[in-house]
Amino acid sequence: MKRILLAGALDAASQNFVRQLSQNSQLDLTVYTSSAVSLPESVMALTEEVLDEGGLSAAMLDQDLVVALVPTIRLAKMASTLATAVQAAGNPQLIISRTDDIEELPLEERHARQTLAAAGVAFDIVDGFGGISSLLGVSTTSATVFGPGEEVPLERFAG
C-alpha cells in the first residue's frame, strides 16, 4: 500500500479528487490542509497551516509520496518550506501540482525548481489532477476531475 500525503488548500475539485483517490484500495491517504473540508472516513485529515514547516514535516513522516497543491504565485515561497520539510521527514518523493493556470509567472516556477534541486529533493512539478494521477499510476474519473486549464463540459452545470 502506498502512503500519500496531500498538502494544500482544498477546493471542491480537490475534494472530489481526494474522494476518487480514497476509493483506490492501494492508497493510504492523509490530507494536510488549513481548509475546512469534508473528507471520506478512510482519509486521515490534519488541519494545519501548510506553511508550518514543523507540522508539515511531522505529517510527512512515514509517507511514500507527498503531493503539494500550490498556486503559482506561491511556488517559490512554498518550495523553501517543502524542501525543509521533505529533508526533515527523510526525503519522500514530492509532486507539486500548480492549482491554477497562470502562465505569466515563469520565475516562480524557475525559483521553486532551483530551491528544490539545490536542497537535493526528488520532485516533479505538474499541472492539474491529470498530471498527479499519471505520476501516481492511478486513474480517476476524468469526467469529474478538472484541473487548471481543463475545460468543464457545459452539461456539468445543467440542472
Side-chain angles (χ1 to χ4, degrees), residues 70 72 75 96-103 109 126-128 148:
V70 183
T72 302
L75 276 174
I96 299 173
S97 178
R98 293 183 328 130
T99 59
D100 54 41
D101 57 1
I102 296 175
E103 299 293 333
E109 185 170 338
V126 300
D127 292 327

Side-chain angles (χ1 to χ4, degrees), residues 2 49 60 70 73 141:
K2 185 176 246 181
E49 174 55 47
M60 288 182 184
V70 183
I73 199 161
T141 309

